Amino acid sequence: MKKLSFKNSLLLISALVAFSLIASMGFGVVELGHKAVWQCITQTCEKSIYETILWEIRFPRVLLGFIAGFGLAIAGALMQNVTRNPLADPYLFGIVSGAGLGATLTQFLPTTVQVITLPIASFLGSLLAVGIILIVIYQNNWRRIEHLLLAGVAVSFLLSSLTSFILYSGEAFSTNRVIFWLMGSLARANSTALLWISPVIIVATIIAILLGRQLDALLLSDDSARTLGIKVEKLRIITLILCAAITAVIVSYCGGIGFIGLMIPHMVRPFVGITSSKLFIAAGLVGGCFLVWVDVIARTALGGQEIPIGVITSAMGSLFFLALLRKM
């Protein structure tokens, strides 16, 4: 079978994005029907309540899901390329656990200051995880880059245990609310969340694409990259900070959503190749669509009860992880 060019692949993915954003708004507790959704988009809504449901409730949620999936997929592709490890993922790397720890600490602050402190605390928690990992690898002089993943798993367990202890020591109502949030949900979708997440994802994506050629050289080996004048250690630190920023701001408002960064890059590589800049764009778009439809399942599978998104992605990701290990 003839392989599609990147341009054709991008056109197909763009069509998938448009379809996903429009079609997903038709699903929910209140069934509107896709004809009513299309009428609201192209003309005016048949009923005023439809306009409220679509534009004030569902559209922000769908858009947040797409942006979060976009960011997590790019973070995963970045980590896999910079570590040359196909199993690398922000969830397994401890970054999600670090962001979750920072976000958990802010839940016990007054609600009025959480809007500002939540993303900042999540970012600092992510940097804590990255910092611990870098210290471990630095002591080894970066000789065994595969130790990054092992250190990440250890840090993930460490920070998760601290989060669990804080929740155990906290007030019951707040603890239950935080536990559900940590499982991952788009229920907090609003303009504030979009205003915080969107700029970070856009800037991080642009930087990642600009670093694409250097990351391509790093895929060969550290020595090959150094012969081309690339500062390998500096590039890795910048990339990990980018992943920390992306993951932190998403965890701040969406909770812990795992394994998207692991699965999506592997799904798109056969179609767009391993070139970093192309991979980031394709993985981001497919990751956004993926999370949008996972959220549809979370909202509709049990009728009026919502399933945490992280539960679904973790179940799918674990099976994918095992399949990937078997293939390797």
Side-chain angles (χ1 to χ4, degrees), residues 58-307:
R58 291 191 186 172
F59 181 70
R61 182 165 181 148
V62 169
L63 191 57
L64 179 62
F66 179 80
I67 294 172
F70 188 100
L72 291 172
I74 285 185
L78 268 170
M79 296 192 72
Q80 289 171 17
N81 279 16
V82 80
T83 62
R84 296 193 297 274
N85 192 322
L87 302 179
D89 172 74
Y91 193 79
L92 298 175
F93 217 70
I95 296 178
V96 170
S97 297
L101 174 61
T104 299
L105 291 172
T106 66
Q107 296 297 314
F108 304 104
L109 296 175
T111 307
T112 53
V113 299
Q114 284 186 19
V115 175
I116 301 298
T117 57
L118 192 61
I120 295 173
S122 296
F123 181 63
L124 293 176
S126 296
L127 285 184
L128 174 64
V130 171
I132 296 173
I133 294 168
L134 291 179
I135 290 172
V136 173
I137 298 301
Y138 181 77
Q139 294 296 325
N140 200 22
N141 201 25
W142 298 87
R143 285 190 295 269
R144 300 294 298 276
I145 195 62
E146 60 269 21
H147 286 180
L148 272 172
L149 183 61
L150 297 177
V153 173
V155 169
S156 178
F157 280 111
L158 171 64
L159 299 182
S160 293
S161 66
L162 291 175
T163 301
S164 298
F165 176 75
I166 293 170
L167 293 175
Y168 175 77
S169 305
E171 190 266 327
F173 178 77
S174 298
T175 297
N176 288 334
R177 182 163 50 91
V178 173
I179 288 174
F180 179 81
W181 169 78
L182 284 174
M183 292 180 184
S185 173
L186 299 180
R188 299 178 63 180
N190 54 36
S191 58
T192 302
L194 292 171
L195 287 174
W196 271 101
I197 292 178
S198 301
V200 175
I201 301 301
I202 292 170
V203 171
T205 302
I206 293 172
I207 295 174
I209 293 173
L210 292 176
L211 294 174
R213 297 186 68 179
Q214 297 181 50
L215 291 169
D216 288 340
L218 197 61
L219 285 173
L220 300 174
S221 69
D222 286 10
D223 292 336
S224 299
R226 287 191 182 97
T227 59
L228 295 173
I230 296 171
K231 297 179 179 179
V232 174
E233 288 77 13
K234 182 179 179 181
L235 178 62
R236 282 205 171 96
I237 292 172
I238 292 173
T239 302
L240 289 175
I241 291 174
L242 272 182
C243 293
I246 292 171
T247 307
V249 74
I250 292 173
V251 171
S252 298
Y253 291 99
C254 305
I257 302 173
F259 291 104
I260 289 180
L262 172 68
M263 294 186 288
I264 302 302
H266 287 286
M267 292 179 182
V268 301
R269 276 194 189 95
F271 302 99
V272 301
I274 62 173
T275 303
S276 295
S277 56
K278 295 179 180 178
L279 176 64
F280 296 154
I281 296 171
L285 294 174
V286 174
C289 294
F290 178 80
L291 190 56
V292 164
W293 287 111
V294 169
D295 183 52
V296 169
I297 296 172
R299 287 186 281 124
T300 59
L302 297 182
Q305 187 176 357
E306 181 177 331
I307 304 173

